[in-house]
Amino acid sequence: MTAFNPAGNRWSNLDRPPLNTTALRRALVRPGALWTSFDVVESTGSTNTDLSARAIAGAEEGAVLVAEEQSAARGRLDRRWSAPARSGLFFSVLLRPGAHAIPIERWGWLPLLTGVAVATGLSRSAGVDTALKWPNDLLVTVDGEERKAGGILAERAGEDGVVIGIGLNVTLAKDELPVPTAGSLALAGAVSTDRDPLLRAVLRSLEQWYGDWRAAGGDPAASGLHDAYAAGCSTLGRTVRAELPGDTSLTGEAVAVDGDGRLVLATGEGVQHPVGAGDIVHLRPV
């Protein structure tokens, strides 16, 4: 329901109220916690771009920037992504693994770690099973089909920092979806679409997973991350096509995620190929 409001203020859509910044900041920014600052802006081009600039200027690890609406949000391969204002969670966080002597070759696990954290948080707070499509898509089931409800984008920020952007469709209705293959928590039957507790749950889950990974020196096995990701990854065990840089592609069964976070494909010739970057297409069984 949309209320009549000639001023067009932020409460004009009663079904999509604004985030309670004060309450969220109080709940998340605490002594000894990972999250050191929490800011919400009404609209911006990209929270990743904005937070990356803050990171380069010296922002502390644990900065969180949320936008009620983004006009130039980016996904992998520089794809554009948009959604109505306050219809989802659009935010970025700043982590500084280099400040904790985490070897740079292990930083590639951060988007996978974030996927596990988001799925864990949403399971608790929304009652929705979120599957992970390698390397950065969040999938939900709508009408018996997998649909993309969100994505993750990790970008280097300075010498020791990584900014991780997360976009998640929460209340989008069917007629608001950007493409027919998209989904949202509401369409997946979430028990709650209140964005405040959803965001708290996701950030607390991310804090826990990042803390465990960091304590293990970035080791995905010792931190439990490798097993957790494999258990939640819907790509494993399926026939997929990897669209690789240089306009090449590779088709095979996704048999594993290796110690470097790469997807391992077994081709029909019995050869195993690790894929570190590329677009993955889930192929339907013939």
Side-chain angles (χ1 to χ4, degrees), residues 97-119:
H100 305 284
I102 306 298
I104 195 168
E105 59 269 18
R106 290 178 171 171
W107 296 14
W109 274 95
L110 284 172
L112 309 186
L113 181 154
T114 303
V116 170
V118 173

Side-chain angles (χ1 to χ4, degrees), residues 250-266:
L250 182 68
T251 299
E253 181 185 356
V255 295
V257 174
D258 70 13
D260 294 320
R262 299 176 299 179
L263 185 68
V264 180
L265 300 187

Side-chain angles (χ1 to χ4, degrees), residues 76 81 89 91 110-123 128-142 145-153 164-170 181-185 188 202 229 232-235 282:
R76 285 185 65 251
W81 183 83
L89 293 172
F91 64 101
L110 284 172
L112 309 186
L113 181 154
T114 303
V116 170
V118 173
T120 303
L122 292 179
S123 176
V128 168
D129 287 332
T130 308
L132 305 172
K133 178 186 173 189
W134 188 93
N136 71 330
D137 287 350
L138 305 165
L139 307 179
V140 296
T141 301
V142 178
E145 294 187 355
E146 283 185 339
R147 302 282 188 87
K148 179 177 177 178
I152 296 161
L153 179 65
I164 301 175
I166 300 160
L168 180 67
N169 296 334
V170 177
T181 54
S184 69
L185 298 186
V202 167
Y229 186 82
C233 181
S234 70
T235 303
H282 289 178

Side-chain angles (χ1 to χ4, degrees), residues 25-36 204 207:
R25 185 180 289 127
R26 185 184 304 120
L28 294 164
V29 181
R30 313 178 313 276
L34 170 63
W35 310 119
T36 53
R204 285 173 173 164
E207 179 176 15

Side-chain angles (χ1 to χ4, degrees), residues 42-88:
E42 190 68 18
S43 179
T44 190
S46 162
T47 56
N48 256 33
T49 298
D50 295 349
L51 193 55
S52 292
R54 294 188 191 182
I56 293 170
E60 191 175 352
E61 180 176 53
V64 181
L65 179 61
V66 188
E68 295 284 29
E69 182 179 24
Q70 293 187 101
S71 60
R74 293 173 290 113
R76 285 185 65 251
L77 307 178
D78 218 26
R79 295 191 178 105
R80 297 303 174 190
W81 183 83
S82 63
R86 301 187 299 281
S87 65

Side-chain angles (χ1 to χ4, degrees), residues 234-247:
S234 70
T235 303
L236 293 178
R238 300 171 77 150
T239 300
V240 304
R241 182 176 68 252
E243 297 176 350
L244 306 174
D247 292 327

